[in-house]
Amino acid sequence: MDGNGNCIFCRIINGEIGSHKVYEDESAVAFMDIRPSQPGHLLVIPRQHVPDFYNLEDDLYLKVMLVVKRLSEAVSKVANPAKVGLAVVGFEVPHTHVHVIPLQKAADFQPGAGGSPTLQSSGEELAEMAARITAALGD
């Protein structure tokens, strides 16, 4: 990893900060958002510290987006939403990350905290949802 020691996502990748991981491989890591806008809201990040998604090497971009696609299918199975929305914003944490958010209606689409309402989810709720999503990957 080409990390930034102060980046919270790099610290999660390095195991310095706990998270509710649902997926990881040599290119990407996915974990539950600790301030979800909807139950099942997760983040997919590249292991390499790149602040802006458009600066990812094409190969890494494709690998990350294939993980996003696979996890979107798992979130759809678990949360049974009308749609699964995606967002790449990155104001709060300057490490490329894709929000994967189950949606029942367009108004549910509120990635990131930055003033948007978020759910209060306990660690147990996040762990349970992470386990359900991880199990759905095997289906």
Side-chain angles (χ1 to χ4, degrees), residues 15-103:
E16 298 169 25
I17 296 175
S19 67
H20 298 283
K21 289 183 184 171
V22 297
Y23 179 87
E24 61 184 315
D25 64 20
E26 70 284 346
S27 302
V29 176
F31 50 90
M32 303 308 299
D33 192 312
I34 61 169
R35 294 181 299 205
S37 60
Q38 298 298 316
H41 179 170
L42 58 86
L43 303 173
V44 179
I45 65 172
R47 286 187 178 275
Q48 182 180 1
H49 181 87
V50 178
D52 298 302
F53 79 95
Y54 49 82
N55 287 325
L56 292 171
E57 293 292 327
D58 289 351
D59 186 53
L60 181 56
Y61 175 84
L62 292 172
K63 287 177 181 177
V64 169
M65 292 309 289
L66 286 170
V67 171
V68 167
K69 179 182 178 204
R70 185 169 179 215
L71 284 165
S72 295
E73 292 171 6
V75 166
S76 183
K77 288 178 186 175
V78 169
N80 196 30
K83 295 284 183 184
V84 175
L86 305 178
V88 180
V89 186
F91 285 109
E92 291 187 1
V93 180
H95 183 126
T96 295
H97 55 287
V98 180
H99 294 262
V100 177
I101 308 170
L103 306 168

